[in-house]
Amino acid sequence: MSLTYAIVVNGPVYGSQTSRSAYQFAQALIEDGHKLQRVFFYQDGVLNGSALTAPASDEFDLVAAWQQLGRTHQVELQTCVAAALRRGIVGEQEAEQNQLGSANLADGFEQAGLGGLAEVMLTADRVIQF
């Protein structure tokens, strides 16, 4: 039986295992034939959406991995806009609204309110939080 999943990521892109574990879980559920509808990045998890991360060449690039997962499997990658703005992760629209010089939200990510999280919690069969 195939289920629809949503994942909520609260951990930062680097500095803990949380985000990497969420990514590995996402890969595993897709490989098992389930549908991953959305990954919602909340609290420090919004740092996964930064276009300004530059891991060493011998380290795993988790931001690029999320982007590839989103493109390949049509998974929505949403960052909480309020949490992102507090942590300096800014999309084009927010940069313009707040009169900031530039945006740094990575390609493939979008910013959404908590309504995006509430909606996916109502429509997914399972919601897993990391």
Side-chain angles (χ1 to χ4, degrees):
M1 178 172 139
S2 178
L3 298 173
T4 301
Y5 282 79
I7 295 175
V8 180
V9 179
N10 293 326
V13 65
Y14 296 108
S16 79
Q17 186 62 31
T18 308
S19 294
R20 180 73 182 265
S21 294
Y23 174 76
Q24 290 171 325
F25 181 82
Q27 283 187 305
L29 72 88
I30 291 169
E31 288 173 12
D32 283 347
H34 300 289
K35 166 92 172 118
L36 178 57
Q37 182 177 344
R38 179 176 302 153
V39 180
F40 191 86
F41 299 92
Y42 190 50
Q43 297 173 335
D44 284 344
V46 300
L47 298 170
N48 285 270
S50 175
L52 299 178
T53 59
S57 61
D58 63 340
E59 291 179 3
F60 185 73
D61 188 342
L62 190 52
V63 174
W66 282 120
Q67 290 171 307
Q68 182 64 40
L69 183 112
R71 277 190 306 271
T72 303
H73 301 287
Q74 291 77 49
V75 176
E76 298 171 359
L77 305 174
Q78 291 185 343
T79 62
C80 173
V81 66
L85 288 173
R86 276 191 226 94
R87 290 164 177 83
I89 308 300
V90 182
E92 294 288 338
Q93 182 178 350
E94 291 74 24
E96 186 176 315
Q97 286 176 346
N98 292 289
Q99 299 175 351
L100 301 172
S102 64
N104 65 340
L105 185 66
D107 290 338
F109 288 81
E110 62 180 328
Q111 292 193 320
L114 287 177
L117 176 59
E119 183 266 331
V120 78
M121 290 177 77
L122 291 171
T123 59
D125 296 314
R126 302 282 187 274
V127 178
I128 308 297
Q129 181 173 345
F130 287 85

